[in-house]
Amino acid sequence: MHDHAHGFIQKNHIIALGAIMDLHQLRCFLTVAQTLHFGQAAQRMDMLPSALGRHIRLLEESLGTRLFTRSTRRVALTDSGLLLREEARKLLAHADALMLQFRQKSHHSYPLLRVGAIDSAAIGLLPQLIQLFKIKYPEVEVQIYEDKTVNLLPKILNGRLDIAFIRPPEMMSAEIAHHFLCFEPGLVAVPQHHSLAAQGSIEIRQLENMPMIVPERRSRPHSHDMTMNLFHEAGIEASISQVANEKQTIINLVAAGMGLAIVPLWISRFAVNGVKFLPIASASALAGLPLSVVWLKDREDDIRQSMLQVIEDHAELYGDISQ
């Protein structure tokens, strides 16, 4: 009886693996299994919740079993879901390793490193970092993809990026390795002819009742929260005059006199006429944005490792950027 049961499980295990042909469905499942929250999982995967739910349903139909129990307040894994979580991790790790093997083979003559970066890091860190990397590894082609953190993390998970410079979210997939680099100080961007522009620095309380331009929190939570938290710490409320997500757009709006904005230090390297960037006086720890480098765990990549070593060897590029 025991042998019969073992054979039944083994047979169904093979059938199950044969049925799972869509790796994207598996990645969707694992993300929900890690967060136990469809909304958070959809955001991590850069998908609509309805699309994520559809992939989960299709996977459940393929396997002929429920993977999650859902109620209005909580999501939990079923016994089948717990089993699949472990097997899916192994299967995706194998698929990723296979993809990497072929990628490295196809780029044997021209090794490739795909780097993602938020706009601030793309402006302030990558130019010097890539230059140092190319001096040491001139044969490696480096492709740079600039995007928001919420869009870069799914590309790390699905193997479309090898490494990325991001604002670390409160929750991150267990499949992603990360290393904190620095806190990037915030500056106040003011129109050149504004009454505050002549000052050497600005106290946050001086911004009371001033029109402020901020990014949407869902798109750029760290930048949004830095402004709101600094105002809260100063005991005043921010007067939001405009919401804009792209830093270049925000700076252009400041130049047009539409308001003021608190932005990361490296953004001040944008060449925009009519804008002055002023440090925040008596700045607390709130006046900084975390920057981390991330990559996919359990995936060997000598080229990526070489870049991580260059990052470690040249901490002067980011170690004290407030100076």
Side-chain angles (χ1 to χ4, degrees), residues 99-121:
M99 181 178 68
L100 178 63
Q101 179 182 342
F102 278 91
R103 185 174 72 83
Q104 289 180 329
K105 182 178 180 180
S106 64
H107 290 284
H108 183 72
S109 301
Y110 302 96
L112 175 66
L113 182 69
R114 300 162 301 172
V115 180
I118 58 171
D119 47 13
S120 183

Side-chain angles (χ1 to χ4, degrees), residues 299-317:
R299 176 191 280 186
E300 295 298 325
D301 188 329
D302 292 340
I303 301 172
R304 182 199 66 206
Q305 198 59 40
S306 297
M307 171 57 87
L308 289 172
Q309 189 61 54
V310 171
I311 294 169
E312 183 178 340
D313 292 342
H314 293 279
E316 73 276 4
L317 297 179

Side-chain angles (χ1 to χ4, degrees), residues 43-307:
Q43 186 172 350
R44 285 192 189 182
M45 296 293 292
D46 194 24
M47 299 171 63
L48 291 173
S50 58
L52 178 68
R54 184 170 64 254
H55 282 298
I56 298 299
R57 286 194 301 274
L58 289 171
L59 183 58
E60 289 178 327
E61 290 173 5
S62 297
L63 296 174
T65 185
R66 292 286 297 276
L67 300 173
F68 298 99
T69 58
R70 307 167 180 84
S71 67
T72 54
R73 293 191 175 183
R74 65 190 297 267
V75 175
L77 283 161
T78 63
D79 289 343
S80 295
L82 289 170
L83 175 62
L84 181 61
R85 183 178 63 183
E86 301 309 312
E87 295 300 324
R89 284 173 177 166
K90 297 174 188 176
L91 189 61
L92 285 173
H94 179 72
D96 289 338
L98 189 62
M99 181 178 68
L100 178 63
Q101 179 182 342
F102 278 91
R103 185 174 72 83
Q104 289 180 329
K105 182 178 180 180
S106 64
H107 290 284
H108 183 72
S109 301
Y110 302 96
L112 175 66
L113 182 69
R114 300 162 301 172
V115 180
I118 58 171
D119 47 13
S120 183
I123 296 168
L125 176 60
L126 286 195
Q128 291 173 281
L129 180 63
I130 299 302
Q131 182 182 35
L132 290 167
F133 180 80
K134 292 289 286 184
I135 289 172
K136 197 167 183 179
Y137 304 99
E139 74 283 1
V140 177
E141 178 188 352
V142 179
Q143 294 179 355
I144 300 174
Y145 302 84
E146 185 179 329
D147 211 331
K148 305 177 186 69
T149 294
V150 68
N151 296 330
L152 292 173
L153 286 174
K155 291 181 174 65
I156 289 289
L157 282 170
N158 63 28
R160 291 169 63 188
L161 289 176
D162 303 306
I163 195 170
F165 298 87
I166 65 160
R167 304 287 185 213
E170 292 181 3
M171 294 181 62
M172 192 149 48
S173 169
E175 297 177 69
I176 294 179
H178 58 95
H179 176 66
F180 174 78
L181 298 178
C182 62
F183 279 101
E184 185 180 355
L187 300 176
V188 182
V190 302
Q192 190 170 16
H193 301 295
H194 195 276
S195 59
L196 296 175
Q199 298 186 182
S201 63
I202 289 181
E203 296 277 358
I204 293 297
R205 64 175 178 270
Q206 292 180 277
L207 301 179
E208 187 172 15
N209 298 322
M210 295 283 183
M212 300 299 298
I213 305 168
V214 298
E216 182 186 21
R217 191 180 191 282
R218 183 183 181 278
S219 177
R220 297 184 184 273
H222 285 92
S223 293
H224 176 94
D225 288 353
M226 177 172 66
T227 296
M228 307 310 279
N229 290 338
L230 284 170
F231 272 77
H232 180 74
E233 183 185 53
I236 58 177
E237 288 193 16
S239 299
I240 309 301
S241 64
Q242 183 69 49
V243 174
N245 287 331
E246 302 305 324
K247 295 295 195 311
Q248 182 74 66
T249 302
I250 289 174
I251 299 304
N252 286 334
L253 288 170
V254 172
M258 298 293 292
L260 286 66
I262 299 176
V263 299
L265 180 144
W266 278 330
I267 294 298
S268 64
R269 297 185 183 181
F270 272 136
V272 177
N273 292 327
V275 177
K276 189 169 182 181
F277 297 92
L278 301 173
I280 300 170
S282 306
S284 70
L286 295 175
L289 296 170
L291 181 69
S292 292
V293 59
V294 298
W295 61 97
L296 196 62
K297 287 181 183 177
D298 304 324
R299 176 191 280 186
E300 295 298 325
D301 188 329
D302 292 340
I303 301 172
R304 182 199 66 206
Q305 198 59 40
S306 297
M307 171 57 87

Side-chain angles (χ1 to χ4, degrees), residues 5-23:
H6 177 75
F8 177 79
I9 293 171
Q10 187 177 50
K11 178 182 178 182
N12 279 275
H13 176 65
I14 294 170
I15 292 172
L17 290 180
I20 303 170
M21 301 304 293
D22 190 335
L23 294 180

